[in-house]
Amino acid sequence: MNKLRLVFSLPFLFSSVVWSGYLESDQDVLIPQEWAHVDRVGPTEELELTFALKQQNVHLLEEKLRLVSDPDSVQYGKHLSLEEVASLVRPSDLTEKVVHRWLQSHGITNCLTIRTQDFLQCTMTAETAERLLPGSRFHRYMRDGHYLVRSSAPYSVPDDVHHHLDFVGGLHRLPPKGLDLSKKQKSKAGFHLGVTPAVLRTRYNLTSADVGSVQNNSQAVAQFLEQYYHPADLAEFMAMFGGAFQHRSEVDRVVGTQGGGKAGIEASLDVEYIMSTGANISTWVFTNPGRHESQEPFLQWMILLSNMTDLPWVHTISYGDDEDSLSAAYMTRINTEFMKAGVRGISLLFASGDSGAGCRHLGKENTFRPSFPASSPYVTTVGGTSFKNPYKVTYEVTDSISGGGFSNIFKMPDYQTTAVNSYLKTVAASLPPKSYFNTSGRAYPDMAALSDNYWVVINRVPVPWVSGTSASTPVVGGMLSLINDQRFMKGLPALGFLNPRLYKLNGKALFDVTEGCHYGCLDEQVQGQGFCAAPSWDPVTGWGTPNYPALLAVLLSD
């Protein structure tokens, strides 16, 4: 088995057409203004590109995921090993032959693959890369002291090769800016009790006995965008807020290399709160290994999942980008990577985003702007809520930043059609105009938790008023880890891809959130409002927030 070297690159994220026997981007390469041009990359400088080879049997993989995730299926919980996944999806011999021959014809031989053989990472000079991919021109850019190498122009590949590739990474895609998780600090400071582990355990009915105990359970967070946690912050946080329940004060495994400098708010938040609700459970952190200028950490993390036989059962990720900034081909391939994780019994939870329904300005017309991977049909997406009464633990209402809406790319999956169509019918009179959203698209989020005014320890200092669905996602993830813990004690398999089972619960075991709306376009038509919460499922808070003991009971029923 070929060993994966931890070097990865950015995906090609533009939709494509074939012109004169070549595959070429149909969009200009736009470098955001915050990225300053530094220089042209020298011809002998080394680049690392990722080639996503076409996979086989993707339709069979999707069907297998449906069967192992549907509690009414006789195959429910019969997850596959990584080796079984690899045998199902690995590229055909023809695909491997064509791609390898193409690379070798340009003198490119320094390539490594992974266990599923559907990604290649290759090292070459910039001069060679520009010959391999006609049209590409590599430049160095800088933002906030970080350097990246990207092509300033579209590229092409030969027609006989493009049929065997989903995308080439390392050329165009620039990471989105991180979220300002403390943006509510000024407006709410002094008017909220603040969310701590004790507040979460009270609201969601976790007792001091609700902690992990089995050896074969683990959970993980993934950190991108130069985000790092500090072990000393985690220890300080648990000393301050973890006294009422058994807990761990150290991360068991870091995959990658922690960067130096100050801790990041988002990274600290993720680690401190997944280890507070998922208390006493072994926790991993996937972090960005020393960034090469052509790396993209999210793609790196996805490839790692396909190259490790033993992984945590629950992963929470606070990362996303606008759907319209990504190519359908890229997102479709990433969805396949999510399916590969789901059939192995891994639960992937993504934050729904902090821009409400979002807004895209198209000339004189606006539309809502869905986020990916939140809009993927193959992950569980978590929205956000606030307390109705900010002075005490009360029932929850919508947090106006909670991301949600309808995908413009992916159709509504079967598991949610009844719930979503019921919402659309029930609130039809008060919905935004249909020109703003796709009523037949994958609807999200799937569930929610508190996302408003958290306490976090950062650089040894307790910091209040941290907000965002980056908070609610690890909170839900930790509770799912506790449920896995109890399932393992009964000899049951991991929850895996939760959505088919979650939607069959029809809201049972969750606190329904029925008040409040989230942000939308600030225009005459919708006047800054997106969708609103409603009884049962809605595109702001999903099915609602967890009532832990009730959710544990229904998810231990097999």
Side-chain angles (χ1 to χ4, degrees):
M1 188 62 65
N2 292 313
K3 183 179 180 182
L4 173 66
R5 183 175 57 191
L6 295 181
V7 289
F8 303 91
S9 55
L10 289 178
F12 170 52
L13 297 180
F14 295 85
S15 55
S16 307
V17 293
V18 178
W19 289 340
S20 304
Y22 282 78
L23 180 72
E24 189 166 299
S25 167
D26 65 352
Q27 299 184 23
D28 293 331
V29 178
L30 300 176
I31 304 296
Q33 290 183 348
E34 67 264 20
W35 288 95
H37 180 265
V38 177
D39 57 17
R40 179 86 152 86
V41 173
T44 60
E45 288 191 50
E46 283 199 340
L47 304 177
E48 293 161 343
L49 303 184
T50 297
F51 299 85
L53 280 65
K54 287 281 187 185
Q55 299 153 312
Q56 298 188 96
N57 303 315
V58 173
H59 63 292
L60 296 180
L61 176 69
E62 183 172 27
E63 176 63 10
K64 187 66 176 178
L65 177 64
R66 185 188 68 82
L67 292 173
V68 301
S69 307
D70 181 354
D72 295 331
S73 165
V74 295
Q75 294 187 41
Y76 178 70
K78 296 180 179 178
H79 301 123
L80 303 185
S81 67
L82 178 58
E83 289 71 23
E84 290 170 325
V85 173
S87 67
L88 185 64
V89 303
R90 67 167 48 106
S92 68
D93 291 342
L94 177 61
T95 289
E96 292 192 27
K97 181 179 180 181
V98 168
V99 174
H100 281 275
R101 185 173 58 198
W102 172 56
L103 295 171
Q104 290 169 0
S105 72
H106 287 80
I108 299 168
T109 57
N110 185 9
C111 296
L112 297 173
T113 188
I114 61 173
R115 294 175 185 269
T116 50
Q117 299 181 21
D118 46 6
F119 284 101
L120 282 173
Q121 280 92 34
C122 299
T123 302
M124 66 201 75
T125 64
E127 183 179 37
T128 299
E130 291 178 359
R131 285 201 308 266
L132 179 75
L133 304 166
S136 62
R137 296 188 298 273
F138 289 92
H139 296 259
R140 184 172 287 102
Y141 299 90
M142 181 185 73
R143 182 183 73 186
D144 299 332
H146 302 299
Y147 293 86
L148 291 179
V149 168
R150 295 295 177 267
S151 172
S152 61
Y155 70 89
S156 59
V157 300
D159 186 38
D160 64 332
V161 175
H162 95 264
H163 294 295
H164 299 280
L165 288 175
D166 284 326
F167 62 80
V168 181
L171 285 97
H172 295 149
R173 170 85 182 121
L174 290 158
K177 288 186 74 68
L179 298 172
D180 181 4
L181 299 179
S182 59
K183 60 188 175 182
K184 294 186 177 182
Q185 181 172 350
K186 292 182 179 179
S187 62
K188 292 198 174 183
F191 297 97
H192 198 289
L193 54 85
V195 174
T196 65
V199 169
L200 291 168
R201 286 181 162 263
T202 298
R203 170 56 187 158
Y204 299 133
N205 294 321
L206 287 94
T207 70
S208 59
D210 291 316
V211 296
S213 60
V214 300
Q215 294 298 311
N216 61 332
N217 193 15
S218 56
Q219 59 191 0
V221 298
Q223 300 174 357
F224 312 121
L225 307 176
E226 304 293 341
Q227 282 279 327
Y228 310 107
Y229 90 100
H230 281 182
D233 290 342
L234 175 60
E236 182 76 13
F237 178 85
M238 287 301 181
M240 291 183 65
F241 298 115
F245 53 91
Q246 188 178 355
H247 61 268
R248 302 187 182 203
S249 297
E250 296 181 356
V251 167
D252 281 337
R253 183 173 178 184
V254 174
V255 182
T257 304
Q258 281 275 104
K262 293 183 177 180
I265 294 179
E266 186 164 301
S268 303
L269 177 72
D270 290 347
V271 172
E272 289 166 9
Y273 279 92
I274 196 171
M275 294 182 69
S276 295
T277 51
N280 207 43
I281 293 174
S282 176
T283 302
W284 296 20
V285 171
F286 286 80
T287 190
N288 178 26
R291 183 199 288 273
H292 182 277
E293 290 178 349
S294 61
Q295 284 183 1
E296 201 280 313
F298 179 73
L299 181 61
Q300 170 199 336
W301 170 76
M302 288 263 46
I303 295 174
L304 274 174
L305 296 190
S306 286
N307 206 51
M308 298 178 70
T309 54
D310 297 312
L311 285 168
W313 295 107
V314 173
H315 296 246
T316 76
I317 304 97
S318 303
Y319 181 88
D321 210 346
D322 298 325
E323 243 187 17
D324 58 80
S325 73
L326 314 174
S327 76
Y330 167 73
M331 290 186 285
T332 298
R333 174 57 184 263
I334 294 300
N335 276 343
T336 303
E337 301 307 305
F338 293 153
M339 287 191 275
K340 286 163 60 179
V343 296
R344 295 172 63 190
I346 296 167
S347 300
L348 299 179
L349 280 69
F350 277 85
S352 70
D354 295 349
S355 301
C359 188
R360 187 184 186 193
H361 306 285
L362 299 171
K364 295 182 179 180
E365 296 183 358
N366 293 332
T367 63
F368 293 152
R369 197 170 203 176
S371 174
F372 182 84
S375 64
S376 169
Y378 308 106
V379 303
T380 299
T381 304
V382 182
T385 62
S386 301
F387 281 124
K388 174 66 173 179
N389 183 340
Y391 296 100
K392 60 183 180 180
V393 177
T394 58
Y395 72 91
E396 294 160 77
V397 298
T398 294
D399 187 348
S400 56
I401 66 169
S402 179
F406 296 77
S407 173
N408 290 320
I409 304 297
F410 307 111
K411 69 180 182 68
M412 191 180 300
D414 291 343
Y415 62 73
Q416 69 169 185
T417 53
T418 299
V420 177
N421 287 331
S422 176
Y423 169 82
L424 292 173
K425 182 178 180 180
T426 301
V427 302
S430 58
L431 282 172
K434 290 189 176 180
S435 61
Y436 279 73
F437 65 102
N438 174 25
T439 57
S440 61
R442 168 10 178 179
Y444 69 98
D446 303 301
M447 56 192 305
L450 286 162
S451 57
D452 200 19
N453 294 326
Y454 276 64
W455 280 91
V456 181
V457 172
I458 310 165
N459 302 306
R460 304 298 297 271
V461 177
V463 176
W465 324 120
V466 176
S467 300
T469 54
S470 297
S472 54
T473 307
V475 165
V476 172
M479 283 187 264
L480 295 184
S481 292
L482 289 181
I483 294 172
N484 270 340
D485 211 82
Q486 295 295 311
R487 288 177 62 85
F488 295 157
M489 289 178 66
K490 291 184 63 176
L492 297 172
L495 288 168
F497 177 43
L498 182 64
N499 288 11
R501 186 159 191 179
L502 175 66
Y503 279 79
K504 286 193 174 184
L505 294 177
N506 202 33
K508 184 179 180 182
L510 293 108
F511 296 116
D512 195 6
V513 179
T514 61
E515 293 184 27
C517 307
H518 64 183
Y519 297 136
C521 295
L522 190 59
D523 59 24
E524 188 174 342
Q525 283 270 72
V526 297
Q527 300 179 30
Q529 183 172 290
F531 299 99
C532 296
S536 296
W537 182 91
D538 60 68
V540 189
T541 61
W543 285 106
T545 62
N547 180 2
Y548 176 74
L551 192 61
L552 173 65
V554 296
L555 294 180
L556 276 180
S557 60
D558 65 331

